[in-house]
Amino acid sequence: MSVPMDAQQSAAQDGITRISLAELLALRRQLPRRLAPPVDRVHAVRSGGHVTTVRGRGMDYRESRAYQHGDDIRRLDWRLTARSGKLHTKLFQEERERSLMVLLDTNATLRFGTRRRFKSVQAARAAALAAWLGIATNMRVGLAAFGSARRVARPQAGSRGAFAIMHALCETQSTHAEDGRESLSAALQRVSRLVRNGSQVLLISDGASLDAETRAALVALRRHAAVRVLVVADALESALAPAGRYPIAWQSVVRTLDLQQQAARVKFRETLGRAPHRLQMLARELQLPCRRIETQDEPMTAVAQLLGISLGAKQT
């Protein structure tokens, strides 16, 4: 079992206790050559309170905007293109640009890990992959980080949106407020005011920030957004640690954790694993798509599944 390293060593351990901008940018190379965009699904509440799914696009012209990579060339606005000298695309009624907001937990409980990397680094990697996948399938992508490092990057399309998120993710790795703990319900309420109807919200958390009001906040958010949950956990939150005595470092203070007895190891696992289990159970109760990854996993498949994106052949 590896032991979390002192914060003073983190500068020499990028990718373990924190992640660099170069690594976040390099994650783009993991994307397959071809990606199938997710099916457009806009949830609306009809009379009677039943939630229905609206599919497809109407044909009533609404407006024109600058052409973006992936737009249907059959919908080019040739008159506006000729006047402006730049390609423009026509938008029609019921056509909505897909939008993804990544809600990232940066509370102190994520700065822990015993396999390969901290949970905070794994969460940032998953958020970066979600951004790259979203941009590659013509989504507008934003980030709302909550907890000890609070950052907001409003949804944008293309490389501008991707780079804004990568820089924001780097800031969450290096800046932590001393009194920065924030509940999940408060974060959900904040993000609810940032997202438009029909958006996707991908929550990335270890579940430790879950509080009594979280359920109501999730129910309120899913009324106008499609909520997905990615639970980030450590191996010790699901499996027993090997018997032994372990030094644990936190803010330059080293303690010894005695796990020589079976009962101590079981209690340790149950204590650590309670938070991610609670978040998984709540997602299941509310029928929210949910996946769990551990710190040694590669998040690509789980993130793509949550976003409804089909992965094809990888790049070579």
Side-chain angles (χ1 to χ4, degrees):
M1 178 176 99
S2 61
V3 179
M5 300 183 181
D6 191 282
Q8 293 177 352
Q9 297 175 302
S10 63
Q13 299 293 335
D14 276 1
I16 298 177
T17 62
R18 70 178 187 180
I19 195 164
S20 66
L21 178 60
E23 289 175 284
L24 292 171
L25 295 174
L27 287 172
R28 187 178 190 178
R29 294 199 293 267
Q30 293 188 16
L31 267 63
R33 183 180 295 108
R34 293 183 180 87
L35 290 170
V39 176
D40 287 336
R41 294 188 179 185
V42 180
H43 296 281
V45 179
R46 304 299 186 191
S47 59
H50 296 290
V51 178
T52 62
T53 300
V54 181
R55 299 173 184 264
R57 293 181 171 93
M59 297 304 294
D60 294 331
Y61 173 78
R62 189 179 72 206
E63 62 180 342
S64 294
R65 61 152 167 78
Y67 175 86
Q68 295 177 3
H69 177 71
D71 285 349
D72 190 341
I73 61 173
R74 293 172 298 180
R75 295 189 176 182
L76 288 178
D77 187 336
W78 293 111
R79 291 185 179 180
L80 184 54
T81 296
R83 290 200 304 269
S84 66
K86 296 181 179 179
L87 289 174
H88 281 73
T89 300
K90 290 182 178 180
L91 297 182
F92 295 85
Q93 195 66 29
E94 291 299 322
E95 181 172 5
R96 295 172 171 87
E97 291 183 305
R98 294 185 304 273
S99 182
L100 168 67
M101 178 65 81
V102 179
L103 181 57
L104 177 68
D105 193 339
T106 69
N107 280 297
T109 56
L110 283 98
R111 298 198 292 278
F112 168 82
T114 64
R115 299 292 190 277
R116 191 170 298 180
R117 55 181 70 92
F118 276 10
K119 290 190 289 184
S120 57
V121 171
Q122 183 72 313
R125 295 175 76 244
L129 284 169
W132 290 125
L133 285 166
I135 295 299
T137 52
N138 300 315
M139 292 186 188
R140 295 171 60 85
V141 180
L143 174 77
F146 71 99
S148 57
R150 302 178 191 182
R151 297 288 184 277
V152 173
R154 292 185 177 275
Q156 298 183 74
S159 58
R160 179 178 296 181
F163 289 131
I165 289 177
M166 301 308 138
H167 282 286
L169 286 172
C170 283
E171 292 176 354
T172 67
Q173 297 286 297
S174 58
T175 305
H176 301 288
E178 292 298 325
D179 57 347
R181 179 170 176 78
E182 184 177 9
S183 68
L184 181 51
S185 63
L188 289 166
Q189 290 164 10
R190 276 200 296 119
V191 82
S192 182
R193 296 190 289 268
L194 296 175
V195 299
R196 296 187 296 182
N197 289 343
S199 298
Q200 287 195 59
V201 175
L202 175 62
L203 168 63
I204 303 176
S205 174
D206 67 349
S209 57
L210 191 151
D211 61 340
E213 290 75 35
T214 294
R215 188 185 190 282
L218 278 170
V219 170
L221 177 60
R222 74 172 183 179
R223 291 194 183 106
H224 67 276
V227 182
R228 285 84 172 85
V229 180
L230 181 65
V231 180
V232 179
D234 184 78
L236 289 188
E237 293 169 335
S238 59
L240 290 181
R245 292 167 61 89
Y246 300 99
I248 301 295
W250 177 253
Q251 295 181 344
S252 301
V253 177
V254 179
R255 305 288 187 188
T256 299
L257 180 65
D258 188 346
L259 296 179
Q260 297 182 94
Q261 301 299 318
Q262 173 82 359
R265 297 199 300 277
V266 171
K267 183 177 181 180
F268 182 67
R269 180 197 62 191
E270 291 176 349
T271 300
L272 282 183
R274 189 174 296 123
H277 179 73
R278 286 176 61 208
L279 182 54
Q280 285 180 271
M281 291 301 98
L282 179 58
R284 181 179 299 177
E285 178 188 344
L286 298 180
Q287 298 184 328
L288 303 176
C290 179
R291 295 290 184 275
R292 174 178 173 140
I293 58 172
E294 295 187 350
T295 57
Q296 71 274 22
D297 298 332
E298 288 302 323
M300 173 68 80
T301 300
V303 172
Q305 288 176 346
L306 287 174
L307 299 183
I309 297 173
S310 176
L311 299 175
K314 289 189 176 181
Q315 292 177 334
T316 57

